Amino acid sequence: MMQELAALISQYGLLIVFALVLLEQLGLPLPAMPALIIAGAIAARGELSLPALFGSAVLACLIGDAAWYAAGRSYGNRVLKTLCRVSLSPDICVNQAHANFDRWGMGLLVIAKYVPGLSTVAPPLAGTMRVGWRAFMLFDGIGTMLWSATGLGAGYLMHTQIAVLLAQAERLGTGVLVLVAAIAAGYVATKWWKRRRLLAMVRSARIDVDELHTLMSSGAQPLIVDLRPTTARRFDPRTIPGAVPVELRAIPRNFRPAPSPDQDIIIFCTCPNEAGAARAARLLMERGYARVRTLQGGFDAWIAAGHGTQTFSAAVA
């Protein structure tokens, strides 16, 4: 079976590499990198052109990334929120995407394809951030060429070992396919379970915007944490009155939110299902803060309800 796959790539290598890479960049869970490695090994035997394979992979990446970039420019955070809703990984959310951009800047496009979950998110994020076409194509092109060269180069350099592995896999027959399928199923099941657990925690510890508004109007002084990253606050400097801006990565290290563990702490972000806020709430609960809740619908729900806001500078003051 594996030898037949290698023979198929040997015969239709350019088309297969182009199709797998393009579909993976569009968001489908397809094995583009293993295909690149096998194609590189076949190219080492002289059966395929290495430059042609490289060009095919780069072109497919750029087409897929350009489509996501255009969607981000046209629809903004709605594209990122959609990706967040369908992602099995609880780490992929609007907040985390913006935080990564804050940390890496345009370099995020260079490393995105090496980081699970970022490959699909980075191009629409660049569009949302109104990165120029030329800058996007430059940095995304660098990342695309490095990623493509990594897969093809690994196969080209280790073609002998890969040929041995393919031969051994052929002798094992369908057992290899069953093992690979079991590993893939286990990975998906683990991601699904983690997401369900996170969403269950969110539903059990949340407050809606009207309840928060009533709590604030009653004279109570809950600590409201604005978990949106710097770039998101730069685009929209409004916030809930009295909210404190905090980065998610600061919470485990040095964030001391309240003098008493019994004080109400309300956390909001821009993620669908409050995924980023839920991660922050879990970290605070682990440190002994009992009254931690996420704001249902986040800041978008607060705005939609017509409740008052203040600017970020006023909140800091």
Side-chain angles (χ1 to χ4, degrees), residues 11 33 59 73 78 90 113 136 179 183 202 218-219 279 317:
Q11 185 174 1
M33 179 56 76
L59 179 61
R73 284 190 69 92
R78 282 179 289 176
K113 288 178 173 51
F136 170 76
L179 177 61
I183 294 174
V202 170
S218 69
R279 294 178 61 199

Side-chain angles (χ1 to χ4, degrees), residues 78-117:
R78 282 179 289 176
V79 176
L80 296 176
K81 289 180 179 180
T82 299
L83 290 173
C84 180
R85 289 190 183 97
V86 301
S87 172
L88 285 175
S89 174
D91 297 329
I92 302 302
C93 66
V94 179
N95 251 48
Q96 191 64 31
H98 281 281
N100 285 324
F101 194 88
D102 285 344
R103 182 177 183 182
W104 297 100
M106 295 298 293
L108 181 67
L109 294 170
V110 177
I111 66 171
K113 288 178 173 51
Y114 294 96
V115 182

Side-chain angles (χ1 to χ4, degrees), residues 26-294:
L26 291 176
L28 297 181
L30 294 175
M33 179 56 76
L36 285 178
I37 294 174
I38 294 175
I42 294 174
R45 302 202 303 257
E47 299 177 26
L48 287 173
S49 168
L50 189 63
L53 287 169
F54 179 76
S56 178
V58 170
L59 179 61
C61 279
L62 292 179
I63 291 174
D65 291 350
W68 279 120
Y69 170 83
R73 284 190 69 92
S74 299
Y75 302 105
N77 273 339
R78 282 179 289 176
V79 176
L80 296 176
K81 289 180 179 180
T82 299
L83 290 173
C84 180
R85 289 190 183 97
V86 301
S87 172
L88 285 175
S89 174
D91 297 329
I92 302 302
C93 66
V94 179
N95 251 48
Q96 191 64 31
H98 281 281
N100 285 324
F101 194 88
D102 285 344
R103 182 177 183 182
W104 297 100
M106 295 298 293
L108 181 67
L109 294 170
V110 177
I111 66 171
K113 288 178 173 51
Y114 294 96
V115 182
L118 274 183
S119 180
T120 306
V121 173
L125 175 62
T128 300
M129 302 302 296
R130 292 296 187 269
V131 172
W133 266 105
R134 292 181 180 178
F136 170 76
M137 294 303 292
L138 172 63
F139 286 92
D140 188 65
I142 293 173
T144 291
M145 288 187 288
L146 289 175
W147 179 79
S148 301
T150 298
L152 292 171
Y156 191 90
L157 294 174
M158 297 186 296
H159 64 277
T160 302
Q161 294 86 342
I162 292 173
V164 172
L165 289 175
L166 290 175
Q168 291 177 346
E170 181 68 17
R171 285 195 294 270
L172 292 175
T174 57
V176 174
L177 297 179
V178 173
L179 177 61
V180 172
I183 294 174
Y187 174 81
V188 172
T190 300
K191 288 291 186 180
W192 176 82
W193 177 76
K194 287 183 177 180
R195 181 176 178 85
R196 287 293 301 271
R197 185 179 64 174
L198 181 67
L199 295 180
M201 193 198 76
V202 170
R203 297 188 188 101
S204 65
R206 66 179 2 171
I207 183 173
D208 65 41
V209 292
D210 292 330
E211 289 176 319
L212 176 58
H213 186 264
T214 300
L215 181 65
M216 296 168 63
S217 301
S218 69
Q221 295 183 336
L223 176 62
I224 304 173
V225 177
D226 184 345
L227 204 67
R228 295 175 300 163
T230 303
T231 51
R233 292 195 296 264
R234 188 182 304 127
F235 275 92
D236 187 353
R238 298 174 299 171
T239 190
I240 297 174
V244 178
V246 178
E247 295 287 343
L248 177 61
R249 61 187 178 187
I251 290 179
R253 298 197 303 266
N254 53 14
F255 181 54
R256 299 293 180 268
S260 170
D262 295 326
Q263 183 178 4
D264 285 301
I265 302 176
I266 313 299
I267 307 174
F268 71 90
C269 63
T270 55
C271 302
N273 303 320
E274 301 89 60
R279 294 178 61 199
R282 182 177 59 193
L283 290 171
L284 291 176
M285 289 177 181
E286 291 172 353
R287 290 171 54 184
Y289 292 93
R291 299 178 62 84
V292 184
R293 287 176 285 178
T294 63

